[in-house]
């Protein structure tokens, strides 16, 4: 299977890339840079010159859902461009409501052994990660997300446009709250994510 492994930063998949079996693998790796614009640009360039059977987007994420332990790995089955739309006073009109196009996309959440044990989550993709209590409450009310990232929906969008199946897997590095780096678990999230990657490619 011709797979493109996509991550925003090399640090998120660094341990996996150092494995001997990965260095001998034919799996291609695309490090896009952080954010949906960088991801869309890098992925658009890549898909213009190559064809893949599967897009696999991985990375760390924040969780609105505190029942998910920090460090845990989850599969994102649905992702939404949270800010794509227009404000109308206190209301937000998304791109679907405005007639500007789809803003929610879905990925694969089954069919691979390594996905079976992962919790399945609904996510949003943002330009600005949340750190304000009122904004968090409004986002939860409007979209009911479990996680957030800065790239996921861009990968699902590209996959949808290109007609390629896509998987998104995230490890939870922090809860969505006022910025508090002391409570983050980035090293543990990266360790668990890379352990999952090894299991995915070596079932």
């Amino acid at each position: 299977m011709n797979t493109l492994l996509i991550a925003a930063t090399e640090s998120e998949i660094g341990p996996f890339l150092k494995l001997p079996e990965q260095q001998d693998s034919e799996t291609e790796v695309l490090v896009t840079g952080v954010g949906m614009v960088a991801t869309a640009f890098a992925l658009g360039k890549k898909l213009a010159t190559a064809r893949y059977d599967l897009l696999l987007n991985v990375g760390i994420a924040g969780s609105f859902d505190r029942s998910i332990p920090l460090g845990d790995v989850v599969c994102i089955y649905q992702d939404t461009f949270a800010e794509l739309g227009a404000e109308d006073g206190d209301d937000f009109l998304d791109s679907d409501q405005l007639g500007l196009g789809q803003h929610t996309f879905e990925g694969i959440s089954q069919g691979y052994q390594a996905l079976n044990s992962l919790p399945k989550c609904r996510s949003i993709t943002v330009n600005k990660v949340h750190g304000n209590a009122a904004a968090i409450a409004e986002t939860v009310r409007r979209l009911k997300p479990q996680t957030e990232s800065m790239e996921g929906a861009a990968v699902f969008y590209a996959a949808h446009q290109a007609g390629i199946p896509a998987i998104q897997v995230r490890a939870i590095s922090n809860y969505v709250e006022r910025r508090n780096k002391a409570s983050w678990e980035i090293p543990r999230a990266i360790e668990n994510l890379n352990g999952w990657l090894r299991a995915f490619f070596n079932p």
Side-chain angles (χ1 to χ4, degrees):
M1 182 174 60
N2 190 13
T3 302
L4 180 64
L5 175 61
I6 305 157
T9 66
E10 188 170 331
S11 64
E12 289 168 290
I13 55 173
F16 175 72
L17 296 180
K18 294 175 183 176
L19 294 174
E21 59 264 41
Q22 172 54 26
Q23 293 177 13
D24 295 334
S25 170
E26 294 181 357
T27 299
E28 285 194 55
V29 175
L30 178 65
V31 176
T32 63
V34 174
M36 63 185 83
V37 173
T39 298
F41 178 74
L43 193 48
K45 283 177 62 181
K46 178 64 75 171
L47 295 181
T49 59
R51 182 71 185 180
Y52 301 93
D53 301 311
L54 178 70
L55 304 182
L56 175 57
N57 178 217
V58 300
I60 59 175
S63 179
F64 294 89
D65 185 350
R66 288 179 177 263
S67 72
I68 304 174
L70 294 182
D72 272 20
V73 179
V74 302
C75 175
I76 306 302
Y77 71 88
Q78 184 185 86
D79 210 325
T80 296
F81 290 107
E83 303 147 336
L84 187 59
E87 289 183 332
D88 183 16
D90 292 331
D91 297 325
F92 181 85
L93 305 176
D94 63 45
S95 60
D96 277 326
Q97 293 171 299
L98 293 169
L100 299 178
Q102 187 174 345
H103 74 312
T104 296
F105 299 88
E106 296 188 355
I108 294 173
S109 58
Q110 56 187 3
Y112 295 85
Q113 182 178 339
L115 294 177
N116 292 341
S117 62
L118 298 185
K120 308 305 187 289
C121 294
R122 183 172 54 252
S123 189
I124 58 173
T125 296
V126 295
N127 281 308
K128 177 180 66 178
V129 296
H130 286 87
N132 173 277
I136 291 168
E138 173 57 22
T139 298
V140 170
R141 182 198 67 78
R142 180 167 65 88
L143 295 169
K144 299 178 176 58
Q146 292 164 280
T147 67
E148 72 175 7
S149 78
M150 302 179 79
E151 300 86 20
V155 175
F156 279 178
Y157 172 84
H160 176 78
Q161 293 296 104
I164 304 171
I167 295 171
Q168 183 185 169
V169 168
R170 298 276 169 177
I172 304 304
S173 59
N174 62 280
Y175 293 121
V176 178
E177 59 187 0
R178 185 165 182 175
R179 191 171 179 85
N180 179 17
K181 294 181 72 173
S183 68
W184 295 358
E185 292 285 354
I186 292 177
R188 180 149 59 102
I190 289 177
E191 179 184 0
N192 292 344
L193 178 65
N194 284 265
W196 180 87
L197 273 173
R198 187 171 195 173
F200 179 84
F201 285 104
N202 300 278

